[in-house]
Amino acid sequence: MANVTVIGAQWGDEGKGKIVDWLSERADVVARFQGGHNAGHTLVVGDKVYKLSLLPSGIVRGTLSVIGNGVVLDPWHFRDEVAKLKGQGVEITPDNLQIAETCPLILPFHRDLDGLREDASGAGKIGTTRRGIGPAYEDKVGRRAIRVCDLAHLDDLGPQIDRLTAHHDALRAGFGEAPIDRAALIADLTDIAAFILPFVKPVWLTLNKAKSEGKRILFEGAQGTLLDIDHGTYPFVTSSNTVAGTAASGTGLGPSGAGFVLGITKAYTTRVGSGPFPSEQDNDIGQRLGERGHEFGTVTGRKRRCGWFDAVLVRQSVAVSGVTGIALTKLDVLDGFAELKICTGYRIGDRSFDYLPAHAQDQARAEPIYESIGGWSETTAGARSWADLPAQAIKYIRRIEELIGCPVTLVSTSPERDDTILVRDPFAD
Ligand code: IMP
């Protein structure tokens, strides 16, 4: 079966938008399976730039797009994003966009709580996107969430709202905040329900039907493996499982549906928000990577932290997500460096590691062990075949493959969709 699951193999922002857009043209269905509108996927199509946070990227090309149950959905943001894209000429109807009935809702007090906690945490803050993602997932696993299907039963929602608001009012009181205005919440939900409900479907059925008809499904991961709630740099992570396995649980298709797992990684490393980053270059090198790579967050506009490629972390991501092939992005940002470094291990005190240990303090103390490789002076921007690449750039890619134990099956050399070197077509497998 020719399905493809695209996931980030670093801390997010690996350039998934372009790759997903490129693949979505040949997919029959594109599905999001985790996260929410904390994601930021930029698509450049011709002379138009589309910025998506919540909607699957396939929507821009009219491909059937599905928001799976693993996503947390802010219904007001959904309405705004639909309006913004429609304003750019994208057609969005219940015929090409479906939302899972079981998606938990992100409500205004989730956003409040996210911000209140961040503000109260001082130097220990996570650096979240403040969009209420974490608090919404907490209510999901706490079995208190209001879900998309509840919007069709607002009259029966009283006891559920009581339970949810009682929980949040206690938390809010701790921050000196006023209780939730219950009547206003119900009025807002009633208002938004009319907009959301036409899109709501049992998407697990849609996907299983598509699978049985031999259709091509593209699963679009958000964030990256190192932000995974279980496998990432906890607690400096997002609140969902970002690994490829979530494509199954986050949509209801089952584990055999994931297909080819395409891990996206930049040719260097970036991270937004707080947390360990062993190969970070808080110096001229990081500055140069950030400027050349335009490293500012799509969602929050925050400057991204930049550093050398960390082969240890990507090797770990390849393992925990079962990555079949790597898409290497932003190679051109490394053009002109006389010397490049690759992190191949860590030293923590007098011990060395070939993986990132789990404990936050060990992660914070991990010192990178580097190997150096000569850079190249030519430009790789816009390369479309191996023959267009300088020999040193090919050597760099080959070394990365060796270190991470996974083949590079695609190289992206500019935001333009055609500036891509395709080694192996993931849909052809
Ligand atoms: P949250 O997902 O808003 O709770 O943020 C938790 C962590 O994940 C923070 O470090 C964010 O910067 C990071 N994060 C969330 N979404 C993205 C993304 O799409 N790209 C990169 N980092 C993200």
Side-chain angles (χ1 to χ4, degrees):
M1 182 185 29
N3 293 345
V4 178
T5 299
V6 171
I7 53 117
Q10 295 168 313
W11 277 292
D13 310 316
E14 297 92 351
K16 293 184 285 294
K18 167 181 161 173
I19 310 287
V20 169
D21 174 49
W22 183 77
L23 289 168
S24 72
E25 211 176 29
R26 284 174 306 136
D28 299 301
V29 189
V30 180
R32 280 277 309 263
F33 54 88
Q34 46 71 228
H37 64 308
N38 50 349
H41 293 173
T42 304
L43 313 186
V44 183
V45 182
D47 57 358
K48 281 196 175 165
V49 179
Y50 301 92
K51 289 187 188 285
L52 308 181
S53 295
L54 175 63
L55 300 185
S57 300
I59 198 71
V60 168
R61 296 191 179 272
T63 311
L64 175 61
S65 296
V66 158
I67 297 179
N69 55 276
V71 171
V72 280
L73 185 115
D74 179 328
W76 297 280
H77 176 90
F78 175 81
R79 185 172 61 187
D80 292 348
E81 196 167 311
V82 166
K84 191 178 84 181
L85 285 172
K86 279 188 170 173
Q88 287 187 280
V90 177
E91 198 188 326
I92 303 178
T93 70
D95 288 334
N96 64 8
L97 181 63
Q98 298 187 8
I99 304 174
E101 299 163 296
T102 47
C103 280
L105 295 181
I106 302 179
L107 299 169
F109 47 84
H110 291 129
R111 205 180 42 234
D112 294 348
L113 187 59
D114 200 350
L116 288 165
R117 282 179 176 157
E118 284 287 278
D119 290 341
S121 300
K125 70 175 187 222
I126 308 281
T128 73
T129 58
R130 295 175 174 252
R131 298 202 155 190
I133 306 293
Y137 276 117
E138 285 171 37
D139 282 343
K140 171 183 176 172
V141 296
R143 294 164 292 192
R144 298 179 287 273
I146 296 180
R147 305 192 299 173
V148 161
C149 55
D150 294 322
L151 294 174
H153 299 272
L154 285 174
D155 290 345
D156 303 328
L157 216 53
Q160 232 171 302
I161 290 193
D162 288 343
R163 212 161 85 78
L164 185 61
T165 52
H167 177 81
H168 278 272
D169 283 346
L171 292 171
R172 291 169 73 88
F175 287 103
E177 290 292 310
I180 294 162
D181 182 339
R182 194 177 182 285
L185 174 64
I186 293 175
D188 289 346
L189 287 171
T190 308
D191 171 58
I192 198 69
F195 185 80
I196 301 289
L197 286 173
F199 295 99
V200 179
K201 301 269 162 53
V203 305
W204 62 274
L205 266 180
T206 305
L207 291 173
N208 276 277
K209 187 161 173 281
K211 182 183 169 192
S212 64
E213 289 169 355
K215 299 220 164 118
R216 293 171 157 185
I217 305 170
L218 174 62
F219 293 99
E220 178 180 8
Q223 292 84 49
T225 306
L226 297 163
L227 290 169
D228 183 279
I229 186 76
D230 288 303
H231 298 286
T233 47
Y234 191 92
F236 300 101
V237 291
T238 192
S239 296
S240 65
N241 282 110
T242 59
V243 291
T246 317
S249 59
T251 61
L253 186 64
S256 62
F260 187 108
V261 179
L262 185 64
I264 319 286
T265 171
K266 279 181 197 168
Y268 50 102
T269 312
T270 64
R271 154 160 227 180
V272 248
S274 324
F277 182 173
S279 66
E280 180 170 16
Q281 297 297 300
D282 191 10
N283 53 28
D284 288 354
I285 294 168
Q287 181 82 12
R288 177 166 166 187
L289 290 170
E291 278 166 17
R292 289 187 56 102
H294 309 291
E295 297 295 355
F296 294 92
T298 314
V299 170
T300 58
R302 285 180 293 175
K303 203 170 163 189
R304 297 178 185 143
R305 300 155 64 193
C306 298
W308 295 121
F309 185 80
D310 188 331
V312 185
L313 294 181
V314 176
R315 181 166 63 227
Q316 206 157 319
S317 297
V318 164
V320 297
S321 264
V323 171
T324 323
I326 286 285
L328 189 70
T329 64
K330 299 185 113 171
L331 183 66
D332 55 301
V333 173
L334 299 182
D335 293 352
F337 275 95
E339 182 196 34
L340 302 169
K341 288 189 178 172
I342 303 177
C343 174
T344 57
Y346 306 117
R347 209 165 281 118
I348 303 173
D350 53 9
R351 294 184 65 195
S352 52
F353 288 82
D354 62 0
Y355 65 93
L356 189 66
H359 198 273
Q361 268 175 24
D362 285 339
Q363 294 183 352
R365 287 169 53 223
E367 285 173 33
I369 300 168
Y370 288 120
E371 70 174 42
S372 294
I373 183 165
W376 54 90
S377 53
E378 305 90 327
T379 178
T380 60
R384 294 182 182 188
S385 75
W386 289 110
D388 294 338
L389 292 180
Q392 271 311 112
I394 296 176
K395 204 167 155 193
Y396 182 72
I397 297 171
R398 295 293 178 232
R399 185 63 186 137
I400 283 178
E401 287 179 319
E402 270 170 22
L403 289 167
I404 65 175
C406 188
V408 169
T409 54
L410 191 156
V411 184
S412 163
T413 56
S414 96
E416 269 301 313
R417 65 199 315 266
D418 294 332
D419 291 343
T420 302
I421 303 170
L422 182 64
V423 182
R424 179 172 158 198
D425 181 352
F427 269 130
D429 269 58

